[in-house]
Amino acid sequence: TLGVEGMPLIRFKTGDICKAHYEPCSCGRNTLRISPILGRKQHMIKFKGTSLYPPALYDILNTVPYIRNYIVEVYTNDIGTDEIVIHIGAIDPPENFDKELKDHFRAKLRVAPNIVVESPEAINKRQFPEMSRKPITFIDKRKWERFF
């Protein structure tokens, strides 16, 4: 479970998140230590009072014909709540594309994230970094220190 302390077990494939401690331990140990598991990368997002999971966002984005690719970015704003920005690579979107997409999100999820329309090539470069074997569609920039 995520709350068990003892021998650390980090599962990179599931996206476990922990904090690294570099300062010397009170017992004298000088090696790198890690905190207990704080959560998982793809876990719930609390956005404007609504609990969301990334797959719910993906389901909506995958149904829109103009969208070629996308990246969902989550970060902590100045007041400590989650914010969502969706970077969309779209091909020939209509003029009111972002408004229609926000309305679609509101209808399905009751909230509308911020949307940034970019070229599909720019999104593709961010989705496939040099050392990545699979596409990155979710970037979690939340401040995990708030859990301590």
Side-chain angles (χ1 to χ4, degrees):
T1 64
L2 294 177
V4 174
E5 293 186 25
M7 185 174 172
L9 174 64
I10 299 177
R11 293 176 287 182
F12 294 102
K13 190 172 183 175
T14 59
D16 287 345
I17 297 173
C18 65
K19 184 175 182 178
H21 296 284
Y22 297 98
E23 66 276 354
C25 180
S26 59
C27 70
R29 180 178 292 168
N30 292 328
T31 58
L32 171 70
R33 295 171 292 125
I34 60 171
S35 72
I37 304 301
L38 302 174
R40 291 216 174 106
K41 188 168 125 177
Q42 301 251 349
H43 261 15
M44 178 181 64
I45 303 164
K46 191 80 167 179
F47 181 61
K48 296 183 181 178
T50 302
S51 299
L52 302 172
Y53 287 90
L57 301 170
Y58 302 156
D59 290 343
I60 293 171
L61 292 167
N62 289 332
T63 62
V64 179
Y66 299 105
I67 296 177
R68 172 69 57 98
N69 50 13
Y70 56 84
I71 294 177
V72 176
E73 185 177 323
V74 181
Y75 65 94
T76 305
N77 63 15
D78 295 336
I79 60 173
T81 60
D82 293 344
E83 287 289 331
I84 303 172
V85 177
I86 301 178
H87 300 271
I88 294 175
I91 297 176
D92 298 326
E95 279 187 36
N96 55 355
F97 172 69
D98 53 345
K99 183 189 177 313
E100 286 180 13
L101 189 57
K102 283 187 176 192
D103 290 343
H104 196 60
F105 273 108
R106 280 189 199 97
K108 297 280 186 178
L109 302 175
R110 298 186 305 266
V111 291
N114 296 324
I115 295 172
V116 177
V117 179
E118 301 177 23
S119 71
E121 293 80 20
I123 299 294
N124 199 31
K125 284 182 185 177
R126 291 180 60 196
Q127 269 189 331
F128 292 96
E130 223 174 276
M131 298 301 291
S132 179
R133 292 184 296 149
K134 57 184 181 178
I136 295 171
T137 57
F138 186 79
I139 299 173
D140 195 347
K141 293 183 177 179
R142 290 181 279 187
K143 295 179 184 171
W144 292 101
E145 294 84 30
R146 65 186 170 156
F147 294 111
F148 285 105

